[in-house]
Amino acid sequence: MSFASLLGLVILVLALAAWLLLLWSAIEPLLWLVIRRIVAPRGLVRTAATLARLCRGGFEHDLRGGSALAGALALAARGAHDERLATWLEGQLGKPGALGAAGVVAAGLIAASRGQRDAARDLMHNAAGFDAERAPAAARVVANEWLVADAAERGDWGTVMRLGVRRDVASAQTRFLAFAAARVRRQPLIDEPSATDAGLRWLWWRTPDRGRTRPLLLQALATPRVMHSRKPTPKPPEPAPPPLDPAEFAGDPVAYAQALHALWTAAEAAWRNLSPTHLAGLCKAWDAAFAGPALARLAARVQVLTTVTKAEAALAQIRRSVADDLAQLASRAQIPLSALTEAGGVGAEAGLLLRAELLTEVEKQNQALRLRTQQKRKLPAVEELREWNSLRRAYERAVLLGGLELRRLMFPDIHLHVCNYAVWLWNDRKEYGISGPLFRWLLTEAEAVGDEEAIVLQRKNVGVK
Amino acid sequence: MSAGPADPQRRLADNPFYVLGLRPECGRLDVEREGQKLLGMLELGLKSAASYMTPLGPQPRSADKVRAAMAELRSPDRRLLHEFWALLPPKPEPPRPQPPPKPEHDLEPFAGAFAAHGWKRP
Amino acid sequence: MSSQNLVYVGIDLGTTNSTAAVFDGDKVTLVRNAQGSPITPSVVRIDARGNLSVGARARRFLESDPDNTRGEFKRLMGTAQALRFPASGAEKRPEELAAEVLRSLRKDIEDQLGFVPARAVISVPALFELPQSSATSEAARLAGFERVELLQEPIASALAAGWTIVDSSGSWLVYDLGGGTFDVSLLETRDGLLRVVGHDGDNFLGGRDFDWAIVDWALGEIERAEAVKLSRSDSAHAATIRRIKLAAEEAKIELSRVEQTSMAIAGLKVGDRSFDLDLALDRATLERLCSPAIERSLAVCRRLLAAHGVPDGGLTRVVMVGGPSVMPVVRRYVSAALGVPPTEGLDPMTLVAQGAAIYAATAGLEARPAALEPLRGCKLWLQYPAMSSDLTPHVVGRLVDRGASGSAVATELRLTRADGLWDSPWISLDEEGAFVAAVSLLARRPNVFRVEGKNATGGAVVIDPPTLTIVQGLTISDPPLSRTIGVATAGDDVRVYFERGAPLPARRTFTLQTVETVAKGSKESLIKIPIVQGEYDAAHLCRLVGALEISGAELRQTMPSGTELELTIELDRGGRMSARALVPGSGQVFEHVAHLLVPEAAPEVLDAQLVAIRGRLGELRTDAFRRGLAGVIDKLGKVEAALVDLALDVGAAKGGDADAAQKARRSLIELDATLESVELDRRWPELEKEAREAVVYATIVIHEHGLAHEQSLFAETARAVEKARMGRDPLELQRQLRLLNRLAYAAGSRDPEVWKRRFEHAAVDIGNTTDPAKAQTLVKEGREALARGDGEALRRVVQKLWQLSPGDPEQRRLGYDSGVR
Ligand SMILES: Nc1ncnc2c1ncn2[C@@H]1O[C@H](COP(=O)(O)OP(=O)(O)OP(=O)(O)O)[C@@H](O)[C@H]1O
Ligand SMILES: [Mg+2]
């Protein structure tokens, strides 16, 4: 064979390779589409996971996560949860290497498949918080779709409208849900004009399951389009007849307080309608009862029953259980701590109980995190996220109810241990995907409470100057 | 010592006086007599003993509840507290059925939201 | 069924002596053994040929062949300690020995009644814990009983006394001084109902203490007369001392009858010397020797009365139970201290068994196995109390075959009392085929009622059963739980499931949360749910009685921390416990509870604990003296006094006395609790001081370097610190201090001088870091930065140094390593 023909062959082979490469890069983006639209909906977990390994473009930093994500999508499409497959997927996720957003979304889908919806929601939110380089678009799109679907299924349309049109991650499905909801509820979307009928139809046409979304389309089309934001005129809520009428007992302060108490605490889900004013009314009723009548009643019965307990001691016990109930009630109805504290009397006692409970919960979890960091007891990356979520939830709950006061009070300790934890994750374990958002969260909190020293430190950690 | 169950929802519903169908003024022997009778009736599965009235409506009665109620009322110190919480008269008539709570939005939750993505669960 | 047929059996399974009694609804009869005595010593002997003897026949060998003759095994119930009988090589667990005693009593009952009793009530000490109770149930099962219920001894005594005494209302004290335990219970009867108000006791006080006091006295006398020194801790003297102790016990018992007696033993040997013992002992000497122990029992009584607000003279009656309470001196002391003479006419030795038999009636535990008689007539299913304090209880009934109709089916019923003096009206059955009727009882006796029926046409119908019997008398309905049961949580708290006094059977479910993630398939990760029993708030002070373990190996899916677990604990009437945990998320259920035994008290462990507690005491004392904390010094003085006794017990435990070992273990727990409370007292002033200093420091730095918003926040925080200090709230004070320190730290960090100080401070401590070599390098770097005046570099060095500090040494939870909260 001559040199020339050899050269020719080499050139031919090279050209062929280049052509193949070109072809591949042209079809590679399609591969993800194939997985999502064809393989995953058939519930082919292992096939989807294996195919996804070829999607170098989409998940180049996190092939493992991408593969798990594809598998998890297929798992979610199966009629019944298959624990064997779920475990297999978890095994794929648990292999060494840092966790990326795709892996987190996969873990979220697995959790959802097991019916752990709260945990799934947290994980999806986590994925949304990952740095862009560790969060491939495909993963963020799935996370967003899941969150939107979850909100729609719970009837939380506000969230649907907010997330459904979020830049970069909105998909046809989420956009359609957001626009349809905006139309029906006569509310505007952020930075988006309201859709025309044709626009709505077009969006609907692109949803993957037109059959299921059709009723929503029809309902939206039936609602006239409004150009400007207009709040729907709130209809006066029809008062449901209470199972018990405190007014009947207006003559007796103790009975009145009890009836009111029963109405809010014992009647099914009554706390949903509890407002701070209601709570203040309840506290006032109890204070009136405790001002004298309750003690008189107890004292009379102490005589008859000849108890060892003195009437005062019994009253103190009752007062404590009332305060306990009030605290629980406020906590369920998410009424700010200040409403209790300002009510004075037994309300203030309840406020102290609730405050201690909120703080203790955070402190306990924070201590657990501190211990684990100190002893370097590792958990699988997804579990690390879940633990952090649970601490953050407790903290945010305390902030929600306790306001800035509790936020300031909790922050020093939280900052210390969470920061150490995030550093451990970052330095020793290279879990950048998880610890990055932790630093950002710490910075936000530090700014909120005005902790200058922490702000400086976290700015450095986050890399913002 | 606690004044009844820690769950505020049960504080009234499980009050021993309501469970036994007695009022706070009753004597000690009434507690034993009623309790004994109710235990017998429950053991025989009699319908008339299957529920009791509270100010918030009827509640199912069980032998466990009756025995616990008797034990609670035997101690005068505990009884004192339960008396306090049994002040309201039990409701004579069955409660009106409650209308379901009105949805906050004029758009119903979308039950097929996950399915519309091809996700069979949750 | 007629009243003659009713038989209820009660058994007092005592440490020293056991007794059985039967109750026929009318009166109680004691069961006599082959020797004709109602009292059977709780002693078991196995001889070289493997022959087993129980009771008086075994007891005779206690002196001559102590190794193969075992008594007092009740004190070891619930422990894993097996007892060896060297001659035969046999080895028996405590419950097996107890079963032998029960079997012997069961035989005696059979001889007396003519049939083998299948069900009975067995009494247990009020302070028995779950492992001990379930060992007792197990002993009964081994002895062949089909069903037993356990009843606390003081309740049994009170029931028996209440049955005998006509006017039984008021507050009672049951004073039960046994061979080695003292129990005292406060009870109250009103309207024929008996209620336990509270109890207290000392697990290590009893007749034995009197015996030892006499022995010690005798040893002194011997030393004086014979110039021989005998020592209780010298194992070479053990045999001699045992003989003296038996003589002492005999003399003590004798002195309950007579004014003066003598202790005479011939041929006592010490080393190569042999001598005869003959000592005169009179009541006055006995009183002198026993009064410290009696005083101890009275202190417990006073403590109980005070705890329940019973004023002086508030007691109507004192019932005395147990062998030593026969002693005139004990009775005299008790009546002087409590202001009421002990109730006469009750037999202290058998009262418990009598009460147990009466309780068997209350619980409807007929001793005879149910006979399968062919049923005839219209079958009725009846519910009524077998025993009732109420004079007009209810009888509830229902036709078994409700669908049936015809002339053989009753539509109306009537109850007629056998004496013919009372009958109910004709009662029509309702649509469920049921009726409820109040019947009238004659007080304090069995009442038999005939059940008559009429069909729709008015014809008589034969009813099955034709009669029913209700005994009227003092009752107690459900056996109450003796000690609070709960789950220990990771925070060393106790989540209470059942409070002391809760009626049995009982079941309760709480939702708990896991504190750590358990990875599926991982054998190392494990969640422990410890179940504890006791009255302390701190879990580690309570007794561990069982544990449920969930290991990663059996999990179907990983359980993240914070997973909810529904834990159900169930107790049956005999005090046996079962538990199950459901993981609602996965639907998986865990049920195998590791039932724990009473922890064995190994002498070496006890010794180590004793040393530790001494050390802690020393530290606390030095500290308390330095700071002049009078209250603390006082408390510590008491601990010190108790340590003397404790040391003796630990010594005896080393000599092989298992009982002393158990006693020492208990005392250790109690002393630990006292020291803990002392530390709490001490911590507050320390914290307060810290707060004062922190405020002073913060005022200075924040004033100099604080930003505007930090200044105002500081003012607010300083107020909050003050408030927490006034309210003596340590937790809140710590929180506010953290915030304050944080503010001061941030402000201080703006001052380069502060970083220099921080560096010097950190540089001193490098020996204690986790990596001293690295710390060394860092310090060097720091010095260079300092020399350069590079504040930023210095700051980095200090922060790195801090990271190397070991942090506070972790007390991984005292709460029995609980994995839930
Ligand atoms: N007549 C008596 N006078 C003085 N002491 C006696 C008399 N009879 C027995 N004892 C002592 O009583 C003790 C045994 O008492 P008792 O039989 O009541 O204990 P027990 O019931 O076996 O123990 P427990 O109740 O702790 O299980 C022994 O110490 C014995 O010496
Ligand atoms: Mg006894």
Side-chain angles (χ1 to χ4, degrees), chain C residues 12 14 74 153 176 178 322 352:
Chain C
D12 171 8
K74 178 175 171 184
E153 285 166 9
D176 181 348
V352 172

Side-chain angles (χ1 to χ4, degrees), chain A residues 36 73 75-81 113 117 145-146 149-150 152-153 155 157 173 177 181 184-185 208-209 212 219 240 242-244 249 254-255 258-259 261-262 265-266 286 294 297-298 301-302 305 307-309 314 317-318 321-322 325 328 332, chain B residues 1-3 5-13 18 24-26 28 55-57 76-81 83-89 91 95-99 102 104-122:
Chain A
R36 273 217 73 178
L73 279 167
L75 181 71
R78 294 175 72 92
H81 175 69
S113 180
R117 203 148 146 198
E145 278 181 344
W146 192 92
D150 170 64
E153 213 169 82
W157 293 104
Q173 172 93 340
L177 289 176
V184 177
R185 304 176 83 213
D209 188 345
R212 281 187 208 272
Q219 196 186 350
L244 167 114
F249 307 99
V254 182
Q258 261 185 44
H261 192 84
T265 55
W286 274 119
R297 186 182 298 273
L298 286 169
R301 291 304 292 172
V302 162
L305 296 173
T307 57
V308 174
T309 317
Q317 280 185 41
I318 290 169
S321 32
V322 167
D325 287 5
Q328 251 192 63
R332 278 190 169 184
Chain B
M1 200 197 284
S2 63
D7 180 359
Q9 284 205 17
R10 310 302 311 165
R11 202 186 291 290
L12 236 71
Y18 297 136
E25 304 75 41
C26 73
R28 278 160 189 259
L56 288 157
D77 296 271
R78 291 211 187 205
R79 173 170 169 158
L80 181 66
L81 300 176
E83 280 185 358
F84 183 87
W85 288 105
L87 193 58
L88 304 177
K91 224 186 187 67
R96 292 150 282 190
Q98 280 189 45
K102 276 202 68 69
E104 272 177 42
H105 314 290
D106 27 0
L107 191 55
E108 296 288 324
F110 179 22
F114 281 109
H117 277 286
W119 297 329
K120 302 274 164 49
R121 277 154 298 105

Side-chain angles (χ1 to χ4, degrees), chain C residues 14-17 74 178-179 181 207 249 252-253 256 322-324 326-327 349:
Chain C
T15 315
T16 328
N17 298 308
K74 178 175 171 184
T181 48
E249 183 176 359
K252 173 191 75 177
I253 294 176
S256 296
V326 178
M327 292 163 68
M349 299 301 288

Side-chain angles (χ1 to χ4, degrees), chain B residues 28 32-33 44 47 74 76, chain C residues 195 390 392 398 432 477:
Chain B
R28 278 160 189 259
E32 298 303 318
R33 190 177 296 155
L44 297 185
K47 271 208 288 297
R74 265 176 218 136
Chain C
R195 186 172 74 85
D390 187 357
T392 55
R398 180 178 192 165
E432 287 185 276
S477 53

